[in-house]
């Protein structure tokens, strides 16, 4: 009988692989599920993990169990869903076949560590017999894949999981793996708050430069502030109150972003740490020729605005630009002035 629960990482891209690697390094049995090309890469190079504090560790290829089919995770205790939001329905369907009501996995827990708002709801729809064991989670940090099995965490922050007895169990294991985790009773508010900050994923992708460099330019910060302000107005119309994620407070963000450079750097450094290598996952998707999560991030603001009969022109333009970039990634590397003209902020 296992003394530690077995984790299955469903969607072993940058975030999922880093989380799974920490768990494996702490001695937990872990099954990674992902694309065949990542499987081959890790079978050749193993895993090499680094972070902004200079901490590193490596896992040899023969110590990584990597599969390409969810059915090969049968018998796992905890399923961490880290696929792109557009793939949640497919994963939910796969899990429903694996964790059906008469399966031996009666005590399994499923956690959504994904961007977006609706993932828990989609997973619960497929797992109606275990609704209290399908949990919302939030990942605050950025991870970049550097190739050859190397994954670098470039920003700070602690993972959050829904606050019930299952969520507290998950947080305990994540903390044991030195990931840093807590629980929260208002995960819907947290996810909306995180989404507002994630609006910068698209801006960073369009800029084509690292996150810290982008946020060092007042012009980009001004655009980001307007994107968040527009999102806050839409949420206010809907009666939704976004909650803070760690030290990041959504309602204060536009004010902080518009501070003079010297004061912004001082204030922001106390909220989040960003190293020079950090970039958004959306930039990475575009560079790799993959579809992005734009419809699950800025697109959520547009969808909500449409149901309320209000306008969100800034985020609408950003969505359009990202969708154009999906067809032609060479359209990246916009300057702040170029983007302001396109968005209508000049």
């Amino acid at each position: 009988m296992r003394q530690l629960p077995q984790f299955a990482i469903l969607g072993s891209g940058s975030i999922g692989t880093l989380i799974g690697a920490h768990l494996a390094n702490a001695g937990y049995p872990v099954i990674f599920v992902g694309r065949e090309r990542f499987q081959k890469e890790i079978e050749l190079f193993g895993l090499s993990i680094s972070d902004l504090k200079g901490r590193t560790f490596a896992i040899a290829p023969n110590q990584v169990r990597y599969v390409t089919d969810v059915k090969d995770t049968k018998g796992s205790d905890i399923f961490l869903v880290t696929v792109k939001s557009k793939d949640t329905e497919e994963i939910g369907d796969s899990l429903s076949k694996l964790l059906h009501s008469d399966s031996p996995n009666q005590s399994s827990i499923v956690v959504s560590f994904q961007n977006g708002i609706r993932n828990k709801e989609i997973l619960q729809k497929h797992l109606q017999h275990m609704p209290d064991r399908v949990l919302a989670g939030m990942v605050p940090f950025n991870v970049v894949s550097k190739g050859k099995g190397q994954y670098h965490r470039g920003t700070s922050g602690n993972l959050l999981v829904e606050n019930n007895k299952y969520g507290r169990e998950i947080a305990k294991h994540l903390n044991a793996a030195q990931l840093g985790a807590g629980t929260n009773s208002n995960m819907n508010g947290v996810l909306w708050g995180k989404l507002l900050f994630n609006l910068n994923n698209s801006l960073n992708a369009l800029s084509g430069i690292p996150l810290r460099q982008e946020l060092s330019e007042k012009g980009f910060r001004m655009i980001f502030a307007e994107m968040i302000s527009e999102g806050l107005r839409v949420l206010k119309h809907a009666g939704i109150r976004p909650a803070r994620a760690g030290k990041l407070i959504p309602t204060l963000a536009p004010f902080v972003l518009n501070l003079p450079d010297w004061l912004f750097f001082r204030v922001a450094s106390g909220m989040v740490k960003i190293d020079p290598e950090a970039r958004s996952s959306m930039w990475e998707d575009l560079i790799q020729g993959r579809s992005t999560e734009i419809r699950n991030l800025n697109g959520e603001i547009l969808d909500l605005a449409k149901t309320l009969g209000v306008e969100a022109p800034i985020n609408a333009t950003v969505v359009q630009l990202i969708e154009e970039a999906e067809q032609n990634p060479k359209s990246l590397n916009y300057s702040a002035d170029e983007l302001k003209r396109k968005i209508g902020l000049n």
Side-chain angles (χ1 to χ4, degrees):
M1 186 175 183
R2 288 192 299 261
Q3 292 186 338
L4 294 174
Q6 178 168 288
F7 281 81
I9 310 297
L10 308 185
S12 297
S14 297
I15 292 290
T17 300
L18 182 130
I19 292 174
H22 272 270
L23 290 162
N25 192 53
Y28 288 87
V30 178
I31 303 176
F32 297 82
V33 185
R35 297 185 182 93
E36 185 178 359
R37 68 183 181 89
F38 289 125
Q39 181 188 44
K40 291 180 177 178
E41 179 180 307
I42 290 170
E43 286 176 347
L44 183 61
F45 298 104
L47 289 172
S48 178
I49 306 299
S50 59
D51 70 16
L52 69 168
K53 294 183 178 180
R55 296 175 297 195
T56 62
F57 65 86
I59 303 176
N62 63 356
Q63 297 299 310
V64 182
R65 185 179 175 189
Y66 201 110
V67 301
T68 58
D69 196 317
V70 174
K71 72 174 185 293
D72 293 327
T73 64
K74 185 177 181 180
S76 295
D77 304 294
I78 299 170
F79 295 81
L80 304 185
V81 180
T82 56
V83 297
K84 300 293 185 184
S85 294
K86 64 183 179 63
D87 298 321
T88 306
E89 284 280 5
E90 182 181 350
I91 283 292
D93 182 62
S94 297
L95 281 172
S96 71
K97 295 171 183 173
L98 191 71
L99 305 177
H100 49 81
S101 57
D102 59 347
S103 75
N105 300 65
Q106 287 300 305
S107 61
S108 293
I109 304 169
V110 177
V111 184
S112 165
F113 275 133
Q114 302 165 271
N115 286 332
I117 304 299
R118 310 173 195 277
N119 296 296
K120 174 189 170 180
E121 176 186 329
I122 294 169
L123 292 170
Q124 282 183 322
K125 178 185 70 176
H126 289 279
L127 299 166
Q128 296 182 22
H129 63 288
M130 49 181 286
D132 58 335
R133 285 183 282 121
V134 178
L135 310 177
M138 189 276 289
V139 179
F141 50 76
N142 162 276
V143 179
V144 173
S145 170
K146 301 171 71 174
K148 296 185 178 181
Q150 300 176 70
Y151 293 85
H152 179 76
R153 173 177 168 172
T155 55
S156 60
N158 288 337
L159 297 164
L160 283 179
V161 189
E162 199 167 334
N163 186 22
N164 64 15
K165 66 178 182 179
Y166 304 111
R168 291 189 289 275
E169 179 185 345
I170 299 297
K172 178 188 71 174
H173 296 307
L174 295 172
N175 279 308
Q178 298 185 339
L179 280 159
T183 59
N184 193 290
S185 298
N186 179 23
M187 285 303 297
N188 188 59
V190 166
L191 291 175
W192 276 110
K194 168 78 183 312
L195 184 141
L196 289 173
F197 285 104
N198 271 350
L199 297 178
N200 189 52
N201 281 15
S202 53
L203 182 58
N204 179 251
L206 292 169
S207 75
I209 57 180
L211 279 164
R212 196 160 82 177
Q213 182 181 344
E214 174 216 329
L215 292 173
S216 295
E217 295 189 28
K218 183 70 180 290
F220 284 121
R221 296 205 307 274
M222 175 187 169
I223 298 169
F224 186 20
E226 291 297 325
M227 292 164 71
I228 292 179
S229 295
E230 185 175 83
L232 286 168
R233 289 193 293 271
V234 173
L235 294 185
K236 185 175 181 180
H237 272 90
I240 297 171
R241 298 183 64 181
R244 66 189 294 167
K247 297 179 180 180
L248 300 176
I249 304 173
T251 52
L252 290 182
F255 171 76
V256 173
L257 288 164
N258 278 306
L259 290 172
D261 286 349
W262 68 272
L263 186 54
F264 169 77
F265 299 137
R266 180 174 297 179
V267 173
S269 65
M271 295 181 176
V272 62
K273 305 297 182 185
I274 306 174
D275 76 16
E277 296 186 61
R279 293 178 183 262
S280 76
S281 59
M282 196 171 293
W283 171 85
E284 186 175 346
D285 285 338
L286 289 175
I287 292 300
Q288 295 295 330
R290 301 190 295 256
S291 60
T292 72
E293 291 187 294
I294 190 65
R295 284 289 166 182
N296 302 105
L297 296 176
N298 306 66
E300 286 284 0
I301 299 295
L302 302 190
D303 290 344
L304 185 58
K306 185 176 180 179
T307 64
L308 299 168
V310 298
E311 298 293 324
I314 295 172
N315 282 284
T317 302
V318 170
V319 169
Q320 178 185 340
L321 291 172
I322 288 292
E323 290 181 339
E324 289 174 359
E326 287 178 336
Q327 302 304 314
N328 177 24
K330 293 181 181 179
S331 63
L332 300 176
N333 301 308
Y334 285 100
S335 70
D337 287 339
E338 287 173 322
L339 283 174
K340 283 194 286 186
R341 284 195 295 271
K342 285 183 175 292
I343 292 169
L345 294 179
N346 278 350

